[in-house]
Amino acid sequence: MSPAPSLYLPQPTGLQPLHPLTKLVLTLTVLSGAISLADPRYVFATYGLILVPLAGWSRILGPFLRYSFRALAPFLLSLVIIQGFFYPGELVIFSLGPFHYKAEGLGFALLFSGRLLVGLGASLLLLLTTRMDHLMQALTQRGLSAQIAYIVVTTLQIIPRFQSRGEAIFDAQRARGLKTEGSLLRRARALFFLVPPLLFSSLMETDARAVALEARGFGKPGPKTSWAVLTDSGGQRIVRALCAVAALAMIGIRLAAVARPR
Amino acid sequence: MIEVNDLSYTYPGTTRPALDKVSLRLGEGEFVGVVGANGSGKSTLCYALAGFLPTLYQGECHGQVQVAGLDPIRAGPSALAGTVGFVFQDPFSQISGARFSLEEEVAFGLENLGLPREQMAGRVKEALALVGLSDLAGRSPFELSGGEQQRLALASILVLQPQILLLDEPTSQLDPVGAKKVIESVDALTAERRTTVLLIEQRLEWMAAHADRAIVLDAGRVVADGPAREILTAPSLDALGVRRTRYTLAAESAVGRRLIPSPDHLPVTLEQAAVLLR
Amino acid sequence: MKVTVDGVSFVYPNGIRAVDRVRLDVPAGQRIGWIGANGAGKSTLARHLNGLLRPQHGRVLVGDWDTREHPTSEFAARVGYVFQNPDEQLFARTLWEEVAFGPRNLGRSAAEVRIAVAAALEPLGLGGLATAHPYDLRPAQRRDLCLASVLAMATPVLILDEPTTGQDSRGIQRLTQVLESLRELRRTVILISHDIDFCADQVERVVVFAAGHVLIDDRPDQVFSRSDVLEQARVDGPQLVRLARALELPALPWDVEGFVDSWAAIRTLRTRR
């Protein structure tokens, strides 16, 4: 069996004990900041001066940095190379034959990478400090439909579920002589014997689960209750309101700047 | 508690009815065993009682069904949830997938029924204890073995305290000693609550230890219905895909060879055989 | 083909010691039953026999091959493994294609494959369904299909993991006949089963596992006479062995006629006395 498919790392301090909505609003505020700020230095400062300290406070700095950079590295590299050469501009930094590497391109690549980094970081911070089921419960209490909340929570588990089931199927096929080692072609061919049972067994299971959920009253109309207790506080409500105002303000300023005729 | 009149049902895309003019009455607190070959309609009968037919499977459905005053054919499964509890064969697909500890998984059904939170803890704890999972209450449902998942599936239904419990081979993945214990505690609990139980089980030895009554299905028809000991020892079972216990077969052989006088009923269980052959 | 398990241990990443210094030789052609409670280590050990798991200590030999030196796909020619969950292997559009998969992987000729597929489907009652889609079968039939797909490979060693789960008496009858034919072919069979009566009828040797250890390894009648060991392993003996004990008789045969013969003989002796 696969372990609980979640990035959540429980800690008694930091962001973890906060109400899920507080963390969601915080994430959205940082995201709107990343989109609104036009100077790469401010964007990177958002990551370094807001997200990193929050991760440290929540005692997840190690995984936070690891995941951020692992996800960003491929983008960073290709953005810095490709945009430098092909972004329109005049300030040539160096040339490779007919190709000129331009400062405008580098600037754009840095801004874009910075926004990606902040976006990723803010989402990671949410995922690492928040249980998805609790977040969905909080949203359900604010009017989100229970069905949608269920789909969100279970969809996040599809990948680990596929992984563990895929391993079981691979074992069964290898035990019947399927060669999975060797050339790329051979490995690609092996997928042909992996995918149908993977899809079939997953569909069967989803079907059976839908029936089983009905039998446990999932589709029953009327109010639902919750086992988990989400603690909230006046302080957190104020933080959420301030964040929302800040986010709206940043987006408003940005829109005004874009709309202003040059 | 349950009343079925002339119920016939055909799955979509098939021609042979899975249930063929089934009529059945079950009283409050009865514990009834259901036996028959694979494909004889045992699971389909449970689906009908739980309101899955035709709501979830479409197909042709005729006849009347009444379960605890409700009509499952019209009302569908949601209306019966909490009244009818159904434990399926495959345990993994019964786990919601949306709860990350055993406690929360067991509480899931109570949340759906809108039970106040103060009443949940006690019921969840009791259900987990009953199936022997108390020690794993905080564990993730995804980390369980097949047998443990089966225990969890049972706890998730027992916690709802249904008036009617449909058990479709609920312990097929447990080892015999574990399975016997689980069935014993389910029997004790349901007897105390006067729950009506319908148990599908291949191992007649345990069925007979708990069921007062048994019915036999063959090709969608009820072909026998009566006291468990009488039904589960009938020689006709051999041709219907049901494996009688060796206690029954040994006693039958001893009677056939005139080693013992013909008893009123052949034994199904160890205890019954020991009395007869002492 | 002989199977040698030489001091094998295996600890899962979560720290559970599933197999603990197991030593076990299975001579060619032997039919051996592995019994024990859930989590006793039977399936984990079985997965070592075709290299799906590699021993962390000790070694496993099948014939002269060490499982650490060949990939599982090569062991498929020597060890057939029938898994518990059929839905985690069926890929083909017809039963015929599904069953042909193994023999083809082993490089058999088209003519050999045809013969092997027919010979594997027939005894399981699937001969008439060769062109049907595997997903249209009932769950118990899908299990039979998995068995057929392994039988068609004609491996000298065969592992059956809980083959009676979900089978009615007709299915068990078919399984019995399949095992009978494997006996005539002198195949090595490892039968993992909670169905003790079925297992006791089929095997000439029983190994009882508990917490990754072998508790006892002997002839079935010897093993089943040790109620203390069975209790320690949390397994029941065959029904008629338990009945004999309840009647305070010495261990009797567990097949119906054998039991009644012995029971009658003992009773006659006692009444004469």
Side-chain angles (χ1 to χ4, degrees), chain A residues 137 140-141 146 217-218 220-229, chain B residues 99 104 107-120:
Chain A
Q137 185 185 326
T140 313
Q141 285 165 358
F218 186 60
K220 202 170 179 117
K224 294 179 192 295
T225 47
S226 297
W227 165 269
V229 181
Chain B
R99 294 293 181 271
E104 292 169 292
F108 178 76
L110 299 176
E111 295 177 333
N112 291 331
L113 298 183
L115 191 83
R117 196 183 174 279
E118 314 79 71
Q119 294 172 33
M120 285 186 191

Side-chain angles (χ1 to χ4, degrees), chain C residues 2-181:
Chain C
K2 187 185 169 189
V3 176
T4 310
V5 175
D6 185 8
V8 167
S9 295
F10 189 84
V11 182
Y12 278 105
N14 61 8
I16 291 175
R17 182 170 284 274
V19 177
D20 197 5
R21 286 161 292 170
V22 170
R23 208 169 284 280
L24 199 66
D25 279 352
V26 187
Q30 192 172 58
R31 284 156 304 123
I32 182 169
W34 290 4
I35 64 176
N38 287 350
K42 299 161 294 177
S43 296
T44 304
L45 183 60
R47 297 170 83 83
H48 279 81
L49 302 191
N50 64 350
L52 285 174
L53 294 176
R54 306 279 162 86
Q56 291 159 341
H57 292 282
R59 58 182 187 148
V60 176
L61 298 177
V62 179
D64 52 351
W65 284 4
D66 189 316
T67 56
R68 287 168 302 189
E69 286 158 15
H70 297 265
T72 297
S73 56
E74 285 176 29
F75 270 95
R78 298 192 167 192
V79 181
Y81 197 134
V82 184
F83 292 88
Q84 287 189 50
N85 189 349
D87 297 333
E88 290 181 346
Q89 76 167 64
L90 302 177
F91 72 93
R93 287 167 192 278
T94 66
L95 270 63
W96 201 95
E97 287 293 323
E98 186 71 42
V99 178
F101 177 69
R104 278 179 181 156
N105 285 333
L106 300 184
R108 306 265 154 79
S109 74
E112 286 171 322
V113 170
R114 267 198 304 279
I115 295 168
V117 173
L121 285 174
E122 202 54 52
L124 291 164
L126 298 172
L129 294 169
T131 57
H133 200 293
Y135 300 162
D136 289 334
L137 299 180
R138 277 200 299 273
Q141 288 177 312
R142 289 207 291 272
R143 287 174 155 273
D144 285 341
L145 175 59
C146 291
L147 174 58
S149 78
V150 174
L151 286 178
M153 295 160 71
T155 50
V157 181
L158 203 70
I159 302 167
L160 304 175
D161 198 348
E162 297 293 348
T164 61
T165 305
Q167 297 287 6
D168 57 16
S169 69
R170 292 166 192 162
I172 289 174
Q173 188 78 39
R174 283 195 296 272
L175 262 173
T176 306
Q177 281 160 7
V178 166
L179 283 163
E180 189 58 33
S181 64

